[in-house]
Amino acid sequence: MAKYKLFVSDMDGTILHNHTRIAKETAEVVREAEAQGIRFAIATGRNYFNAKEILDEVGLSCPIVSSNGGRVLTETGEVLHEIDLTTEDALKVVSVLHQDHKYADVFYEMYSEAGLVASRMDLIEAAMENLKQNGDDRSLEMYEFFRKRYYVNEDVKLVEDIEHFIQHEAGRVYKFIAFSSHFEKMSALWAEIDEQVDGVYVTSSGDDNIEVMANGADKGHGVTKLAEHFGVDLSDVVVIGDNLNDVPMFEVAGKGIAMANSHEELIKISDHVTERHDEYGVAKALKRVMNGEWK
């Protein structure tokens, strides 16, 4: 019988094999673990519907901690926990983002009860052009991701007046995520939001983004809520991730596994390091947990 009862994985840079999908081989290992009595769950910065769509592609059904802990849902979509930004704090975040010229090449998305929303198409187009001109692998990867997101799949609702939308149409606002290939602007934006908006938690899933949620909306709280729901002690929980937004769940779980491609700060607090996301790192780590190699 497996020692650990719950295995929780991040998505981007972790279980996603090429930043877009879960490998079929990894899905098979997840099913093997579930057959051994290890529950599997996802904890991601992505919104619930996007995360579920990715899981559905490989036939996996599991609980999802979405929006970095803003929402926690069971495998059937039952909401276990939600924590959202106040309208006042959401508007303050937007006011920082919309400062004239200061963050001209930064664009952002908002996760809300009404769906995934963006504003200021001029910012999006400017940022896209900047990514294209940079020409490095990461910038081109981001450019292609957002090109499909905005111009092919049209996954994001564009609104002209996001302040009005927040006040009258958005419902609950769970998260903002801002992107730029100018890393120094991400650092400056992080500091400015942290200083000017009291009720928020700021983190990152990569050097090219920051994520803004309500205080208490983090993966640590999300994993704790899942463990409580299943009656599992946190010492019997394994978590795996790659970046700073995974730190809170590493701090509460019995075991933390970092990817080889992880941020150095996450590696420092991990119990083990597995292979990269594109080398089936999650599947290999899960097998080591299943066979007792990583006790």
Side-chain angles (χ1 to χ4, degrees):
M1 183 177 291
K3 174 184 175 182
Y4 293 97
K5 307 298 182 188
L6 177 61
F7 186 99
V8 185
S9 176
D10 170 48
M11 283 194 134
D12 291 273
T14 303
I15 200 170
L16 297 190
H17 194 64
N18 58 358
H19 299 292
T20 59
R21 63 180 178 84
I22 298 171
K24 291 180 180 178
E25 296 88 340
T26 300
E28 284 304 314
V29 176
V30 169
R31 282 186 271 270
E32 289 173 21
E34 290 176 330
Q36 287 192 20
I38 302 176
R39 292 184 182 275
F40 178 80
I42 287 293
T44 179
R46 293 180 181 239
N47 68 71
Y48 168 74
F49 297 105
N50 182 226
K52 186 177 184 303
E53 182 179 42
I54 292 169
L55 289 161
D56 286 345
E57 287 176 356
V58 289
L60 291 179
S61 177
C62 69
I64 298 171
V65 176
S66 66
S67 301
N68 280 333
R71 304 186 79 203
V72 183
L73 300 97
T74 68
E75 62 272 22
T76 61
E78 174 193 353
V79 177
L80 297 177
H81 176 69
E82 288 185 311
I83 182 166
D84 56 315
L85 291 157
T86 66
T87 299
E88 180 183 8
D89 283 342
L91 291 171
K92 284 181 180 177
V93 172
V94 169
S95 72
V96 175
L97 287 161
H98 283 193
Q99 293 175 84
D100 287 344
H101 306 300
K102 192 169 187 180
Y103 299 114
D105 66 336
V106 175
F107 74 102
Y108 68 91
E109 296 169 349
M110 183 181 81
Y111 296 8
S112 75
E113 198 171 6
L116 182 58
V117 175
S119 183
R120 297 287 302 272
M121 195 63 191
D122 59 325
L123 292 181
I124 295 167
E125 290 174 346
M128 293 274 288
E129 184 60 29
N130 185 261
L131 288 171
K132 193 174 181 179
Q133 289 181 2
N134 279 353
D136 60 272
D137 289 346
R138 175 60 177 168
S139 293
L140 292 176
E141 183 181 272
M142 286 182 65
Y143 172 83
E144 187 59 24
F145 175 82
F146 288 114
R147 186 189 70 80
K148 289 180 180 177
R149 193 177 184 90
Y150 283 91
Y151 301 108
V152 180
N153 299 331
E154 298 182 349
D155 294 329
V156 185
K157 176 182 175 68
L158 288 169
V159 296
E160 289 295 323
D161 186 341
I162 197 163
E163 290 92 344
H164 181 274
F165 186 83
I166 289 169
Q167 292 172 311
H168 303 287
E169 299 178 55
R172 288 183 159 205
V173 175
Y174 301 108
K175 170 184 164 180
F176 287 89
I177 182 165
F179 305 90
S180 175
S181 56
H182 291 161
F183 303 156
E184 70 282 358
K185 288 196 175 183
M186 290 290 89
S187 297
L189 181 59
W190 182 326
E192 194 163 356
I193 291 174
D194 212 22
E195 180 182 342
Q196 293 191 25
V197 192
D198 290 335
V200 301
Y201 161 64
V202 187
T203 188
S204 172
S205 59
D207 291 337
D208 47 26
N209 70 69
I210 66 163
E211 300 173 298
V212 185
M213 290 75 55
N215 281 329
D218 61 62
K219 291 186 181 184
H221 282 91
V223 168
T224 299
K225 292 292 181 183
L226 268 188
E228 290 173 356
H229 173 70
F230 290 123
V232 173
D233 193 277
L234 283 168
S235 63
D236 293 326
V237 178
V238 181
V239 296
I240 185 167
D242 76 307
N243 225 301
L244 296 177
N245 61 339
D246 298 312
V247 168
M249 68 178 182
F250 273 55
E251 292 175 338
V252 301
K255 183 179 292 298
I257 302 171
M259 309 299 292
N261 51 280
S262 291
H263 192 289
E264 61 183 15
E265 294 302 318
L266 196 70
I267 290 177
K268 285 179 184 177
I269 64 171
S270 67
D271 297 298
H272 305 286
V273 178
T274 189
E275 288 79 1
R276 292 174 49 84
H277 66 96
D278 52 5
E279 297 171 341
Y280 305 97
V282 170
K284 292 173 181 177
L286 187 47
K287 283 186 175 181
R288 293 176 186 125
V289 170
M290 289 162 59
N291 65 27
E293 182 181 342
W294 283 353
K295 297 181 180 178

